[in-house]
Amino acid sequence: MEWQRSAFDWNQARAFLVTAEEGSLSAAARALGLTQPTLSRQVAGLEEALGVTLFERTSRALLLTQAGTELLEHFRGMGDAANRISLTATGQSEAVTGKVVIAATNGMATYFLPRVLKDLRTRAPDLQIEIIASNETSDLRRREADIAIRHKRPQDENLFAKRLRDTAGQLYASKQYLDEVGRPSNAADLAKMHFVGFDAPEQRLPLMASRGIELTTANFNFLTSSVTLSVALIRQGLGIGILPVDIGEAYPELENPFLDFEQIEIETWLVAHRELRTNPGIRLVFDLIANGL
């Protein structure tokens, strides 16, 4: 097949087809939910791409040219095929049953997954989803989970991984806490303040030192590996913590106490066993998460 010869836009083809079927640009625009100028541009774009004139434009109506008449049947076939694809995809989604287990950190599970799962409920209402909200890495090869959301690329060649949108970690503290203890003006001031959220702070001290913040374990009065609990502790004014910016910015009572702090890059990977190629439930969930996060 000569692929380069079929490089026109399907949206333009649909605009021509509906215009021909409806008999006018205004009626076609209403049918497609578009403005008339937008639809007119799409039809003109198709004419330019194909190098033919499809309509004769008169003051009272649009008339198909000979080329338009000859091409109309082919575009009707395309429209029928598009409808069959849509119906087949919908039918497959509705037919998907069984159980899919998703492993994610409690932060991802709480703040990001629900909006994707809402769409999934509509697409595959009979599919059962179990969520393992834990910072422990689930073993996909031992089927502890079917899909995992991780912040590090897996090295196992038997796993399929797709990199999602990266985010960043930033310092956050409650305005109440900063009003009480004062806002730091430099790294030395920041190093005198309380921090929360590092379950093993001695492992994170070099990371903070690389950004000019010299902390000790004495700075950490409250320790947890849970992002959701860290958010609660920070909102209560118990100290400063590092949160993904998507989460921290969601709470107006929090602010960045030190704007000179270099953000921490956070990778996000969607991981599944190679079986996702043949399991329709896993494939559907994987694709929805990939598109939704």
Side-chain angles (χ1 to χ4, degrees):
M1 181 172 180
E2 297 183 44
W3 296 106
Q4 293 183 352
R5 294 175 63 88
S6 60
F8 57 84
D9 189 330
W10 160 242
N11 288 322
Q12 295 175 347
R14 185 180 63 163
F16 162 67
L17 176 60
V18 177
T19 300
E21 298 284 2
E22 296 291 332
S24 70
L25 286 170
S26 58
R30 287 193 298 271
L32 292 174
L34 301 173
T35 64
Q36 186 171 327
T38 297
L39 190 71
S40 181
R41 286 194 297 271
Q42 290 182 345
V43 173
L46 180 63
E47 291 179 320
E48 181 179 354
L50 297 178
V52 297
T53 300
L54 300 171
F55 291 106
E56 290 180 2
R57 293 162 174 81
T58 69
S59 59
R60 300 184 62 180
L62 287 178
L63 301 177
L64 281 168
T65 64
Q66 181 179 351
T69 301
E70 292 175 354
L71 291 173
L72 179 58
E73 288 306 312
H74 296 291
F75 282 112
R76 280 177 174 154
M78 291 179 61
D80 291 340
N83 287 333
R84 288 195 299 271
I85 291 171
S86 179
L87 288 172
T88 300
T90 300
Q92 286 179 345
S93 294
E94 291 177 350
V96 171
T97 59
K99 178 180 178 180
V100 176
V101 181
I102 305 171
T105 63
N106 68 340
M108 292 296 299
T110 301
Y111 295 101
F112 299 99
L113 267 184
R115 65 172 181 264
V116 178
L117 299 181
K118 184 177 181 180
D119 185 29
L120 177 64
R121 174 61 63 202
T122 302
R123 294 281 301 276
D126 295 327
L127 191 64
Q128 184 182 59
I129 302 297
E130 178 182 345
I131 302 169
I132 301 174
S134 172
N135 293 337
E136 298 295 326
T137 302
S138 294
D139 191 336
L140 298 185
R141 295 192 65 182
R142 294 184 178 181
R143 304 315 300 266
E144 293 177 352
D146 299 304
I147 296 172
I149 303 173
R150 299 176 177 174
H151 295 300
K152 184 178 180 181
R153 183 173 187 172
Q155 301 301 314
D156 191 332
E157 62 182 15
N158 293 304
L159 301 179
F160 177 81
K162 181 175 183 179
R163 189 167 183 173
L164 305 182
R165 177 179 62 90
D166 292 345
T167 185
Q170 182 58 276
L171 297 177
Y172 286 96
S174 72
K175 295 176 182 178
Q176 172 194 354
Y177 174 71
L178 296 175
D179 287 342
E180 292 174 355
V181 302
R183 286 164 174 77
S185 58
N186 52 52
D189 289 343
L190 191 65
K192 299 175 184 177
M193 306 180 79
H194 294 298
F195 282 75
V196 302
F198 291 172
D199 55 334
E202 63 277 0
Q203 298 178 11
R204 308 295 181 95
L205 297 183
L207 175 66
M208 301 298 288
S210 70
R211 286 160 169 75
I213 315 298
E214 298 293 340
L215 303 179
T216 70
T217 55
N219 290 98
F220 297 88
N221 294 100
F222 298 93
L223 305 177
T224 177
S225 60
S226 167
V227 172
T228 52
L229 181 54
S230 292
V231 170
L233 295 174
I234 296 167
R235 293 179 68 195
Q236 285 296 318
L238 298 178
I240 299 170
I242 296 178
L243 299 174
V245 293
D246 306 68
I247 297 175
E249 296 302 320
Y251 296 95
E253 69 271 28
L254 302 184
E255 67 176 70
N256 181 350
F258 191 59
L259 297 178
D260 290 338
F261 182 80
E262 179 187 349
Q263 290 187 341
I264 300 170
E265 294 183 3
I266 302 174
E267 296 182 2
T268 304
W269 291 86
L270 186 60
V271 187
H273 196 273
R274 294 285 179 180
E275 185 184 336
L276 76 88
R277 294 175 175 173
T278 57
N279 185 306
I282 297 176
R283 179 81 255 184
L284 176 63
V285 175
F286 187 96
D287 290 343
L288 284 176
I289 294 176
N291 293 329
L293 294 186

